[in-house]
């Protein structure tokens, strides 16, 4: 009986100690919570509220219901922006991420010169998106660009204004980011290096090699990193601005129109309520993408 009482007192003391420790945890979390509310949660709430108003940024917002959203849905630019976002998202998922995964698998094998290849592959990542957009403006220039100059050695009369003619502008913009998958490669490569060597050796003993080893062992164990890469890549397409603004500005026509371009145009026209409605749409699309990809890759499930 005495032993039971002592055990009960000990558990109560431990529980009391845990509760006192929680107070310190909450105290240390308080600054982060304040920063989150001030610089993230509060602006999001303001964007949602002002998206239902007519607001020029100078006078007080005036409630106008769903007018901004109705105007947005009825806009041809909006529908084309969603269409472009869908196509760019598919390219990001299958080409951009796929290419990054392939590079990671190759580097993981450590072929001859793999360290040099890794270093060269990472160089574009230190250059800003705006700088890459300007580089590609010269690369795709019809008169003195490298691409057309090379093509003219084969087809002397070849003339294409890549960023200013349809449908080439869409693909020219896509090429400014599509094969620069450094982040994807690093994330997946990190997961590959964490795969148990004993597991790989056991698979080889059982006769698995080459593609079967990749398909049955490595790719399934990299599911979370690949899913994370898809989320990052697709959400980056939602917010993609510099590559478009500095090359096509959404043209020709609306061939390369994006939600971010529409949002900035709304701000420049002092239509802050309308711009915030676009921001809300971008936010909701991001949440939907996060949910769908999380489910598709079963990222909340354990590999064990």
């Amino acid at each position: 009986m005495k032993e039971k009482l002592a055990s009960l007192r000990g558990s109560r003391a431990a529980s009391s100690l845990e509760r006192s420790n929680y107070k310190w945890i909450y105290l240390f979390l308080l600054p982060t919570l304040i920063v989150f509310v001030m610089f993230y949660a509060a602006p999001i709430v303001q964007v949602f509220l002002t998206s239902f108003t007519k607001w020029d940024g100078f006078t007080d917002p005036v409630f106008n219901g769903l007018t901004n959203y109705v105007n947005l849905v009825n806009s041809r630019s909006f529908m084309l922006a969603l269409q472009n976002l869908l196509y760019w998202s598919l390219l990001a998922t299958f080409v951009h991420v796929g290419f990054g995964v392939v590079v990671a698998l190759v580097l993981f094998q450590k072929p001859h010169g793999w360290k040099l290849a890794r270093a060269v592959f990472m160089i574009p990542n230190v250059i800003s998106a705006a700088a890459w957009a300007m580089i590609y403006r010269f690369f795709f220039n019809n008169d003195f660009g490298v691409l057309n100059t090379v093509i003219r050695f084969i087809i002397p009369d070849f003339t294409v204004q890549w960023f200013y003619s349809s449908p080439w502008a869409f693909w020219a913009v896509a090429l400014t980011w599509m094969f620069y998958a450094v982040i994807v490669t690093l994330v997946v490569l990190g997961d590959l290096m964490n795969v148990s060597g004993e597991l790989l050796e056991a698979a080889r003993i059982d006769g698995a090699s080459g593609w079967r080893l990749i398909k049955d062992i490595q790719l399934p164990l990299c599911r979370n990193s690949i899913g994370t890469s898809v989320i990052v890549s697709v959400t980056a397409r939602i917010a993609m601005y510099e590559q478009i603004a500095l090359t096509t500005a959404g043209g020709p026509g609306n061939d390369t129109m994006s939600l971010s371009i529409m949002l900035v145009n709304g701000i420049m026209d002092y239509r802050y309520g309308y711009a915030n409605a676009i921001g809300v749409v971008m936010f909701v699309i991001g949440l939907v993408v996060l949910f769908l990809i999380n489910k598709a890759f079963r990222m909340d499930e354990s590999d064990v």
Side-chain angles (χ1 to χ4, degrees):
M1 185 67 179
K2 292 180 179 180
E3 292 179 355
K4 290 183 178 180
L5 289 174
S7 175
L8 182 61
R9 289 169 184 170
S11 62
R12 287 177 177 176
S15 177
S16 176
L17 181 61
E18 288 180 1
R19 284 196 295 270
S20 64
N21 287 336
Y22 286 152
K23 295 177 182 179
W24 290 105
I25 293 174
Y26 295 145
L27 182 62
F28 282 113
L29 287 177
L30 185 60
T32 301
L33 180 62
I34 293 174
V35 171
F36 174 80
V37 171
M38 290 178 58
F39 297 102
Y40 191 80
I44 288 178
V45 171
Q46 185 180 23
V47 166
F48 270 85
L49 294 177
T50 55
S51 69
F52 298 99
T53 66
K54 182 179 181 181
W55 184 31
D56 60 5
F58 298 99
T59 58
D60 293 334
V62 178
F63 180 76
N64 64 354
L66 296 174
T67 302
N68 292 327
Y69 291 96
V70 172
N71 293 337
L72 189 59
V73 172
N74 291 332
S75 169
R76 183 173 179 272
S77 297
F78 176 69
M79 302 310 296
L80 289 173
L82 290 181
Q83 176 181 294
N84 290 337
L85 176 58
L86 174 62
Y87 293 155
W88 277 322
S89 297
L90 292 174
L91 289 173
T93 301
F94 295 103
V95 181
H96 179 76
V97 174
F99 180 69
V101 171
V102 170
V103 173
L105 290 170
V106 172
L107 293 178
F108 181 70
Q109 302 301 322
K110 297 183 179 179
H112 180 69
W114 72 278
K115 289 185 178 180
L116 176 62
R118 182 182 62 182
V120 172
F121 187 63
M122 292 181 182
I123 289 175
N125 199 54
V126 303
I127 302 176
S128 68
W132 267 119
M134 297 305 296
I135 290 172
Y136 268 89
R137 284 191 65 175
F138 290 102
F139 181 81
F140 282 116
N141 186 277
N142 180 60
D143 298 321
F144 52 81
V146 175
L147 180 61
N148 283 9
T149 299
V150 172
I151 294 176
R152 287 191 187 107
F153 281 111
I154 304 172
I155 309 173
D157 296 330
F158 183 82
T159 299
V160 170
Q161 298 283 359
W162 293 95
F163 283 121
Y164 308 106
S165 59
S166 179
W168 310 111
F170 176 89
W171 294 103
V173 169
L175 286 172
T176 63
W177 56 263
M178 194 156 53
F179 293 106
Y180 299 103
V182 177
I183 302 300
V184 177
T185 297
L186 291 178
V187 172
V188 176
L189 187 60
D191 248 12
L192 286 172
M193 290 181 174
N194 287 327
V195 175
S196 171
E198 296 177 356
L199 179 62
L200 295 176
E201 187 61 30
R204 291 189 183 98
I205 293 174
D206 290 339
S209 61
W211 169 244
R212 187 177 176 186
L213 192 66
I214 293 172
K215 179 176 69 71
D216 295 336
I217 303 295
Q218 293 175 321
L219 288 181
L221 291 178
C222 292
R223 184 182 72 248
N224 285 336
S225 61
I226 295 174
T228 300
S229 298
V230 173
I231 290 173
V232 171
S233 300
V234 173
T235 52
R237 305 289 70 80
I238 298 174
M240 183 170 62
Y241 176 75
E242 297 97 328
Q243 296 97 322
I244 303 173
L246 296 175
T247 54
T248 65
N254 287 316
D255 279 10
T256 58
M257 182 57 65
S258 71
L259 295 175
S260 58
I261 292 290
M262 292 183 64
L263 187 150
V264 173
N265 289 343
I267 294 174
M268 298 299 291
D269 293 336
Y270 301 104
R271 301 170 65 191
Y272 284 78
Y274 182 76
N276 285 347
I278 299 173
V280 170
V281 171
M282 294 171 67
F283 183 80
V284 171
I285 291 175
L287 291 180
V288 171
V289 167
L290 181 64
F291 174 79
L292 293 178
I293 295 176
N294 185 68
K295 289 297 183 182
F297 284 88
R298 296 180 288 111
M299 296 175 65
D300 54 347
E301 298 180 13
S302 174
D303 291 326
V304 180

